[in-house]
Amino acid sequence: METARRRTMALTDPVTEADLIAQHSPLMSPLVWDLAHIGNQEELWLVREAGRRPGLRPDLDTLYDAFQHPRADRPSLPLLSPEEARAYVKAVRAQTWEVLDATDTSPDRPERLLADGFVFGMLAQHEQQHDETMLATHQLRTGPAVLDAPAPPPAPADAAALPPEVLVPAGPFTMGTSTEPWALDNERPHHTVEVAAFWLDTVPVTNAAYQEFIAAGGYRDPRWWTPEGWRHVQEAGLEAPEFWSRDAGAAGGGWIRRRFGHVEPVPADEPVLHVCWYEADAYARWAGRRLPTEAEWEKAARHDPATGRSRRYPWGDADPGPEHANLGSRHLQPAPAGSYPAGAAPSGARQLIGDVWEWTSSDFDPYPGFAPFPYKEYSDVFFGPEYKVLRGGAFGVDPVACRGTFRNWDYPIRRQIFAGFRTARDAAPEDGGPDGGRS
């Protein structure tokens, strides 16, 4: 929770009051709304629910209820000023520490909300998720850069020699979790899923590879798009990933991008970023491949064929370290493709955690036996074909809100999120495909 709060302040302190109250895109809330909303949720769940205290500002509940006020409408609300919002979250946090000091959070606590400190973990994740949202707002704002971080290290020496794809053998695996103490309701319960053998890209699709799709006329050819996707391309005028433009001053008009206020050439070896599901799906079709299903993605990331069990992360059960994955805004961009060999999965795939969220082909649906907890609006109201699942987490995701079972979801048109993808294809029988062997 302290890590989350430091990050919240780092995202709100450097900008002017005008920037905090402005709506930088109708897709996003004003930064000051997110700040006070973080405090309000903490007051609701940690001060009132866990601490059984009367609370500080119950009058703010409706104002900062995300379901009552769409993002586009929030600037017109009587929001707390930046100064008031900062004072509010500080006052809430002081009571939170008192509640935590007085609360039994042992694993055998009979109240599920308090056992293993779940409600505190839930709120730490909630704040970090809003920090990621605020980071996306920073990417959308115009003006001079106010955020900075060192660039990721160059790709390791073996990156260029990696095979283009890895084989994930057929067979059952355990998907989801019933034991991860801070897993959210949509990650539960664990269940067995049978997955046919398939090939998966070793690394996410890179900017260089995606530029080949653009150069081949991918945005002008309806063959590669679903009907809904082609309609969206035409209506939105899509020609390249969000924040890309042609460099008029460069020979051949190379691609440049805007990244947190910096304008720079698009790095060829980075995973492509800021593409919607329709773009990812069209690229995969153009390449003669497809997007992986959510179950395929999770099997590639978690299944250990040597033991038959599912790991917490591709590299094992240890919490993520800087050697494993690009997380926590340590770098404000993806690392080069092939990075983090220590974070590789048993299949050999790299960067399944961190760098970019990865679109899958799957709709956001509940697992068998799903039960909403602790409130229906976290997951249950979003299930259905309107949303596509993303997995893996991006560079702006904190480790507390990222694991091998973590599920993200969004509309297939969304591009402001830190999303990329990798592709897959069915395995042939001689590879271990249908009727070709079991793991």
Side-chain angles (χ1 to χ4, degrees):
M1 294 186 72
E2 288 179 328
T3 299
R5 186 53 45 86
R6 284 194 299 270
R7 189 177 180 203
T8 299
M9 294 299 104
L11 289 163
T12 53
D13 286 349
V15 294
T16 65
E17 182 164 327
D19 263 345
L20 285 172
I21 64 177
Q23 186 172 50
H24 298 283
S25 165
L27 295 172
M28 313 302 282
S29 309
L31 290 168
V32 74
W33 186 92
D34 284 288
L35 177 60
H37 170 78
I38 286 167
N40 180 249
Q41 288 295 294
E42 187 171 321
E43 178 186 347
L44 280 169
W45 286 101
L46 301 187
V47 177
R48 295 189 223 161
E49 187 69 25
R52 299 289 189 262
R53 298 185 175 203
L56 293 83
R57 293 290 304 273
D59 58 301
L60 299 178
D61 291 358
T62 300
L63 187 60
Y64 292 100
D65 186 329
F67 290 93
Q68 293 199 35
H69 305 291
R71 287 177 176 178
D73 298 343
R74 291 171 191 171
S76 63
L77 300 173
L79 303 177
L80 297 180
S81 70
E83 182 180 358
E84 292 169 330
R86 289 188 178 107
Y88 173 57
V89 298
K90 184 177 180 180
V92 171
R93 180 53 59 90
Q95 291 212 23
T96 290
W97 291 145
E98 293 176 6
V99 171
L100 181 58
D101 286 342
T103 301
D104 174 13
T105 58
S106 58
D108 55 356
R109 181 77 188 256
E111 297 93 340
R112 185 178 169 191
L113 198 64
L114 297 175
D116 263 320
F118 173 82
V119 70
F120 296 93
M122 181 182 79
L123 267 291
Q125 292 179 80
H126 174 266
E127 182 161 350
Q128 287 285 6
Q129 288 171 316
H130 274 272
D131 288 344
E132 184 186 357
T133 298
M134 290 195 286
L135 188 66
T137 303
H138 272 273
Q139 172 63 9
L140 287 161
R141 67 176 284 276
T142 57
V146 296
L147 300 178
D148 217 340
D158 69 341
L162 290 172
E165 58 183 355
V166 297
L167 176 67
V168 181
F173 88 105
T174 300
M175 186 172 185
T177 180
S178 298
T179 58
E180 185 73 26
W182 289 357
L184 303 171
D185 59 3
N186 62 62
E187 301 170 66
R188 302 171 183 269
H190 71 247
H191 54 290
T192 300
V193 177
E194 187 79 26
V195 177
F198 67 100
W199 291 91
L200 183 71
D201 287 341
T202 304
V203 299
V205 171
T206 63
N207 289 322
Y210 198 83
Q211 287 177 42
E212 294 179 15
F213 170 67
I214 299 173
Y219 281 91
R220 301 188 301 274
D221 193 334
R223 286 182 299 165
W224 314 126
W225 303 82
T226 65
E228 299 82 5
W230 182 242
R231 185 163 53 249
H232 178 65
V233 166
Q234 294 177 301
E235 291 174 353
L238 303 187
E239 298 179 341
E242 187 82 341
F243 309 114
W244 284 28
S245 60
R246 289 288 189 181
D247 184 358
W255 290 103
I256 57 176
R257 69 180 180 188
R258 180 169 58 82
R259 182 180 61 85
F260 300 111
H262 301 282
V263 177
E264 59 193 16
V266 171
D269 61 351
E270 276 187 17
V272 68
L273 187 64
H274 296 301
V275 290
C276 69
W277 184 90
Y278 290 131
E279 291 169 293
D281 180 67
Y283 174 95
R285 292 166 188 262
W286 169 79
R289 298 170 67 84
R290 59 178 174 79
L291 295 179
T293 66
E294 183 182 11
E296 287 175 333
W297 188 97
E298 188 170 326
K299 183 175 184 182
R302 298 186 62 216
H303 181 65
D304 182 353
T307 64
R309 62 179 292 270
S310 289
R311 302 172 167 187
R312 296 179 69 213
Y313 299 97
W315 54 86
D317 294 336
D319 289 339
E323 73 278 16
H324 295 129
N326 181 10
L327 293 167
S329 295
R330 190 168 59 251
H331 312 293
L332 289 175
Q333 63 192 94
S339 295
Y340 303 104
S347 64
R350 294 189 185 181
Q351 293 167 285
L352 284 160
I353 297 291
D355 287 304
V356 295
W357 286 107
E358 298 186 15
W359 289 109
T360 72
S361 64
S362 299
D363 297 336
F364 184 49
D365 289 323
Y367 290 159
F370 166 84
F373 177 80
Y375 58 103
K376 189 173 183 178
E377 290 78 12
Y378 181 74
S379 304
D380 193 69
V381 297
F382 295 103
F383 289 138
E386 287 186 54
Y387 297 94
K388 292 295 184 181
V389 174
L390 304 101
R391 300 297 296 262
F395 63 86
V397 175
D398 187 81
V400 76
C402 183
R403 49 195 161 263
T405 57
F406 194 94
R407 308 173 76 194
N408 191 7
W409 65 93
D410 214 327
Y411 291 114
I413 64 171
R414 288 291 188 250
R415 305 211 300 169
Q416 86 281 9
I417 58 177
F418 302 110
F421 63 100
R422 71 181 75 208
T423 67
R425 67 181 175 95
D426 297 344
E430 60 268 25
D431 299 325
D435 301 320
R438 289 323 226 202
S439 60

